[in-house]
Amino acid sequence: MRRVLILFFCAALLLSLSPAIAAEESSVRGTVVDPSGRAIVGARVVLHSAAGDRVAVTDRGGRFAFDEAPAEASLLISAERFKDITLDVTDNRSDVRVVLEAAAVADEITVTAPPPLPVRSSTATKTDTPLRDVPQSVTVITRDVIAQQTMRGIADVVRYVPGIGIAQGEGNRDTPIFRGNSSTSDFFVDGVRDDVQYFRDLYNVERVEALKGPNAMIFGRGGVGGVLNRVTRQAEWTPTRELTLQGGSWGDRRVSGDFGQLLTETVSARVTGVYQQSESYRDGARLDRYGVNPTVAFAIGSNTMLRTGFEYFHDDRTADRGITSFAGRPVATEASTFFGNPDLSNSRANVKVWSSAVDHRFSENDSLRSRLSYGDYDKFYQNVFPGVVDASGTNVSIS
């Protein structure tokens, strides 16, 4: 009888404790929906408790379940494009309904503007003056425009400058026409006169400034119709790496480079170069040119800058005077016909220029600028060209 009473008492005790055990280790189940009641598939549900974190993902019906979860626990529910929510599931564990609110939509838009137009120039007035304050017409062809239009020489530049054209340059030289006035001398490099007659290249040019109108009071002799100033690339304090390869019809090949490097905290170096070789649609015509321009910059104190450089440029080409005319019109012949002797029609220019510049700033508004340039130019030009056609239109005299 005693044994029966003990067994009965133990059974009663187990029955009384079972609800508590079930309460401590019961499952957590629920669904995740949006404000319209639609199930959210793939929502991440994290069960936080003292025993650690457990993770579940909602199924196609938005349902999730955790078996034998601790009595004290919370849920963190997150889904893409919805706000996160945290719920306490200590009391309600069998049918948890989670409604997620839509998160605010933020689109990222990147706007890229074209390069800003130049607003200042130190060439027109020999001072750092805003272009809007310069009492004359100034057009600046920037480095970006030169690269985008693959400009190579002065003829390419003035094509985009209103009021300035280009002549044939029969002496094998750059001959711009400033508002009707042709000139072969109104050229400048960094504000220093460069009036030698040859074809210039843009491989070492940062920008070209075209000034139109009378400028004689500023630039001395010449400058009646305008001037062209080339601003060269100088050693800077940021690395430069640029290599351009070009090719075209009639065996046109060209490579140019621009490389700069900071050597020390106060010394920087930069070198630009070009090599071009090309033939022509005209029989026997050719072009060979190459150049190199190293520059070095020295920071002397915080307010003084010294720059120096040397350029060697060589241009060798066939002097092509075109075709002759008869009875007021060009002679009817193939465009490839070369009138004259291409072997004896040659134009060659060798340019050697050493330059230096010192800039010292006394204050925010006061500065001193000095430019020094020394050049050695060698120009050879010989041309055997067609003369007058005789009355029959069949014979051409050679001059």
Side-chain angles (χ1 to χ4, degrees), residues 183-200:
S183 175
T184 60
S185 61
D186 292 321
F187 295 97
F188 291 79
V189 178
D190 297 322
V192 178
R193 184 174 289 275
D194 173 47
D195 59 358
V196 180
Q197 299 182 5
Y198 67 101
F199 286 114
R200 295 154 178 84

Side-chain angles (χ1 to χ4, degrees), residues 11-287:
L13 181 61
L14 289 174
L15 291 174
S16 63
L17 291 177
S18 59
I21 295 175
E24 291 181 1
E25 295 290 343
S26 61
S27 62
V28 177
R29 301 176 181 276
T31 57
V32 180
V33 297
D34 62 15
S36 64
R38 295 180 180 178
I40 299 178
V41 182
R44 188 171 185 268
V45 183
V46 181
L47 177 69
H48 289 292
S49 67
D53 294 345
R54 296 163 61 185
V55 180
V57 178
T58 57
D59 58 15
R60 293 183 178 181
R63 295 180 293 270
F64 67 91
F66 294 97
D67 296 330
E68 300 181 356
E72 296 183 359
S74 63
L75 294 178
L76 172 62
I77 303 95
S78 59
E80 187 177 357
R81 300 190 302 273
F82 291 92
K83 295 181 180 180
D84 297 350
I85 189 172
T86 302
L87 297 176
D88 185 4
V89 291
T90 301
D91 298 328
N92 181 17
R93 303 167 67 90
S94 60
D95 186 18
V96 181
R97 182 178 175 83
V98 182
V99 180
L100 295 184
E101 297 182 2
V105 178
D107 293 333
E108 182 177 346
I109 301 175
T110 302
V111 179
T112 303
L117 296 176
V119 297
R120 311 181 74 86
S121 172
S122 60
T123 303
T125 61
K126 299 293 185 179
T127 59
D128 187 13
T129 306
L131 291 177
R132 64 183 181 183
D133 296 334
V134 177
Q136 65 185 88
S137 178
V138 180
T139 301
V140 179
I141 306 299
T142 64
R143 179 179 176 180
D144 292 329
V145 175
I146 293 174
Q148 292 169 4
Q149 301 296 330
T150 61
M151 298 179 181
R152 299 183 180 183
I154 298 299
D156 300 323
V157 170
V158 299
R159 189 178 298 129
Y160 296 89
V161 180
I164 302 181
I166 196 74
Q168 180 181 359
E170 294 183 354
N172 285 267
R173 66 219 175 179
D174 291 318
T175 308
I177 303 175
F178 300 94
R179 294 178 173 176
N181 299 294
S182 63
S183 175
T184 60
S185 61
D186 292 321
F187 295 97
F188 291 79
V189 178
D190 297 322
V192 178
R193 184 174 289 275
D194 173 47
D195 59 358
V196 180
Q197 299 182 5
Y198 67 101
F199 286 114
R200 295 154 178 84
D201 200 283
L202 304 180
Y203 75 96
N204 62 340
V205 172
E206 183 71 24
R207 66 181 185 273
V208 178
E209 301 171 341
L211 287 71
K212 290 158 286 185
N215 307 297
M217 293 184 63
I218 297 176
F219 294 95
R221 65 180 177 85
V224 176
V227 298
L228 287 175
N229 178 63
R230 290 176 294 150
V231 180
T232 60
R233 303 182 187 183
Q234 299 291 329
E236 301 292 347
W237 307 110
T238 55
T240 303
R241 302 289 187 272
E242 180 180 305
L243 181 65
T244 304
L245 301 175
Q246 294 176 284
S249 303
W250 314 108
D252 181 36
R253 299 178 296 273
R254 178 183 170 98
V255 56
S256 60
D258 182 5
F259 303 94
Q261 183 63 46
L262 181 66
L263 302 181
T264 67
E265 292 184 356
T266 58
V267 181
S268 178
R270 186 175 186 176
V271 59
T272 55
V274 65
Y275 177 80
Q276 180 180 353
Q277 189 177 62
S278 178
E279 298 177 0
S280 172
Y281 69 93
R282 195 86 74 188
D283 295 336
R286 58 166 182 79
L287 166 65

Side-chain angles (χ1 to χ4, degrees), residues 316-399:
D316 189 353
R317 65 180 65 212
T318 301
D320 182 7
R321 295 288 294 270
I323 64 175
T324 190
S325 61
F326 175 70
R329 301 183 63 181
V331 173
T333 184
E334 295 292 335
S336 60
T337 304
F338 189 96
F339 282 81
N341 188 339
D343 296 331
L344 298 178
S345 301
N346 179 252
S347 176
R348 183 178 63 252
N350 287 308
V351 178
K352 303 175 183 177
V353 178
W354 173 81
S355 61
S356 66
V358 178
D359 293 273
H360 178 75
R361 182 170 294 277
F362 297 98
S363 64
E364 184 177 352
N365 299 320
D366 300 319
S367 62
L368 175 66
R369 179 181 297 110
S370 177
R371 298 287 186 271
L372 177 63
S373 178
Y374 175 80
D376 181 12
Y377 301 84
D378 181 16
K379 172 71 179 293
F380 174 81
Y381 168 48
Q382 176 177 284
N383 190 205
V384 179
F385 59 90
V388 181
V389 181
D390 63 10
S392 65
T394 58
N395 297 321
V396 180
S397 61
I398 302 297
S399 302

